[in-house]
């Protein structure tokens, strides 16, 4: 029992038993914190407070939370303070065993932390969420014991999507699908689209309308539809994929030439579509609690 929700773990599936139905599911998203500095930890703490104000039902942390495993406990403890379910998965920058060990230790301290490296399917009260942990391109997996998923791993997820009870389906992975234009979530500084086409196939075959991604930091804070058309923040769309960007306080240059010092998102999934809101670090700091 976590807050107003009751869950049952069934192997690699987590089922939300209560409430039976939720008209809207609000998901706070944090990605790519990367470093364990006090300023980045401050960002995360402020984002969690902002999520509480927004009344999120879940939090998703989709990879690269800390390259140094020693920084993970503080980050996970900060996320746990949300008092809502927190779904954590690995990115391209963490070592598998230290990451899983740190999350297991956090799970022993906090009942609301879940490792979605293992729980690959969450049957929620308003949305079914599938997770593909890790990254597809071995060239960008930093540690020798990092997590590289294979094409076959992604293909197997189609069956889970088809078995889900919700018509609203959400895919979470660290890296984005392959884009086909300059508005893609996977556009790097030289203008190329570098996402994973296997994720596109999974979403098409599994009829997954919604997606939460990250990794390509310079394209963060953006959303597109399944047809790869740009979707502005606050605009409801029948299909929606988002790139949350980086929670790190270390400045990062975006594709538009501006610099960001940390961002997060809230994604709201409803019966008639989904929308997103970007929360920048400065805005999260200025909130009055």
């Amino acid at each position: 029992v976590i807050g107003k929700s009751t869950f049952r773990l069934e192997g690699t599936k987590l089922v939300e038993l209560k409430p039976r139905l939720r008209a809207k599911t609000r998901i706070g998203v944090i990605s790519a914190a990367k470093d364990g500095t006090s300023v980045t930890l401050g960002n995360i703490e402020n984002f969690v407070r902002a999520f509480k104000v927004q009344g999120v039902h879940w939090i998703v942390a989709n990879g690269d939370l800390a390259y140094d495993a020693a920084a993970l406990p503080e980050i996970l403890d900060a996320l746990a303070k949300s008092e809502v379910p927190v779904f954590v998965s690995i990115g391209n920058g963490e070592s598998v065993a230290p990451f899983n060990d740190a999350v297991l230790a956090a799970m022993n301290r906090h009942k609301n932390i879940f490792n979605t490296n293992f729980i690959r399917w969450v049957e929620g009260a308003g949305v079914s969420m599938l997770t593909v942990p890790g990254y597809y391109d071995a060239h960008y997996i930093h540690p020798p014991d990092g997590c590289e998923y294979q094409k076959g791993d992604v293909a197997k997820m189609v069956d889970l999507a088809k078995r889900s009870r919700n018509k609203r389906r959400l895919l979470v992975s660290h890296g984005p699908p392959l884009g086909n234009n300059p508005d893609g979530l996977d556009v790097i500084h030289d203008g190329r689209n570098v996402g994973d086409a296997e994720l596109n196939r999974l979403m098409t075959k599994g009829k997954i309308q919604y997606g939460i991604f990250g990794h390509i930091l310079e394209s963060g804070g953006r959303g597109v539809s399944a047809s790869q058309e740009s979707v502005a923040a606050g605009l409801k769309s029948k299909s929606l994929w988002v790139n949350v960007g980086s929670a790190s306080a270390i400045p990062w240059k975006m594709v538009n030439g501006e610099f960001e010092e940390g961002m997060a998102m809230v994604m709201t999934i409803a019966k008639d579509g989904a929308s997103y809101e970007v929360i920048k670090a400065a805005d999260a700091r200025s909130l009055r609690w």
Side-chain angles (χ1 to χ4, degrees):
V1 178
I2 303 171
K4 296 181 180 179
S5 294
T6 301
F7 291 87
R8 181 177 65 222
L9 183 61
E10 302 175 357
T12 57
K13 180 171 72 170
L14 184 70
V15 180
E16 189 172 18
L17 302 173
K18 295 179 181 179
R20 292 187 63 187
L21 184 63
R22 184 185 294 120
K24 295 180 179 179
T25 298
R26 291 187 179 88
I27 303 172
V29 191
I30 284 177
S31 186
K34 293 182 180 288
D35 63 274
T37 61
S38 61
V39 284
T40 292
L41 183 61
N43 273 0
I44 293 171
E45 291 171 340
N46 289 333
F47 290 143
V48 167
R49 294 188 188 107
F51 292 159
K52 284 189 171 184
V53 171
Q54 293 277 5
V56 303
H57 301 101
W58 298 348
I59 290 177
V60 164
N62 67 326
D64 281 12
L65 290 185
Y67 286 173
D68 181 358
L72 275 171
E74 280 192 301
I75 291 174
L76 293 168
D77 287 348
L79 293 172
K81 290 179 182 177
S82 64
E83 300 178 338
V84 299
V86 178
F87 299 108
V88 180
S89 54
I90 198 169
N92 67 299
E94 301 107 331
S95 295
V96 172
F99 179 90
N100 287 333
D101 285 347
V103 177
L104 177 60
M107 290 168 64
N108 287 328
R109 295 192 301 273
H110 309 287
K111 67 178 181 180
N112 61 327
I113 299 287
F114 296 94
N115 189 342
T116 47
N117 290 350
F118 302 108
I119 299 171
R120 307 295 297 280
W121 176 10
V122 179
E123 277 289 88
V127 62
S128 294
M129 183 177 76
L130 304 178
T131 304
V132 176
Y135 194 59
Y136 83 104
D137 190 341
H139 294 94
Y140 294 94
I141 296 176
H142 302 313
D145 56 345
C147 181
E148 178 190 0
Y149 67 76
Q150 306 296 318
K151 288 183 178 181
D153 300 327
V154 180
K156 290 176 183 177
M157 300 296 290
V158 174
D159 179 60
L160 296 186
K162 290 180 178 179
R163 288 162 53 194
S164 64
R165 68 186 182 191
N166 286 302
K167 292 183 179 179
R168 287 168 266 181
R169 295 169 179 166
L170 169 68
L171 177 66
V172 174
S173 192
H174 180 61
L178 180 63
N180 58 17
N181 63 58
D183 291 325
L185 306 180
D186 62 336
V187 174
I188 59 176
H189 283 299
D190 65 8
R192 288 185 296 135
N193 296 98
V194 296
D196 181 14
E198 293 302 317
L199 297 181
N200 300 64
R201 281 188 272 274
L202 167 58
M203 297 184 80
T204 298
K205 292 182 178 180
K207 296 181 180 179
I208 303 171
Q209 312 98 313
Y210 308 117
I212 291 174
F213 309 104
H215 181 61
I216 309 300
L217 307 188
E218 54 266 46
S219 283
R222 293 161 53 184
V224 298
S225 67
S227 59
Q228 305 276 346
E229 296 177 348
S230 182
V231 176
L235 183 66
K236 188 174 289 186
S237 177
K238 293 288 187 181
S239 61
L240 180 63
W241 307 351
V242 298
N243 179 341
V244 64
S246 173
S248 175
I250 297 173
W252 193 269
K253 188 176 182 180
M254 312 300 285
V255 289
N256 63 6
E258 298 179 359
F259 283 84
E260 295 291 347
E261 297 179 2
M263 58 174 60
M265 270 190 186
V266 173
M267 187 178 193
T268 302
I269 300 175
K271 185 176 181 179
D272 55 347
S275 61
Y276 71 96
E277 176 186 347
V278 179
I279 304 175
K280 296 190 177 183
D283 297 327
R285 283 196 301 271
S286 67
L287 288 173
R288 297 293 181 264
W289 313 110

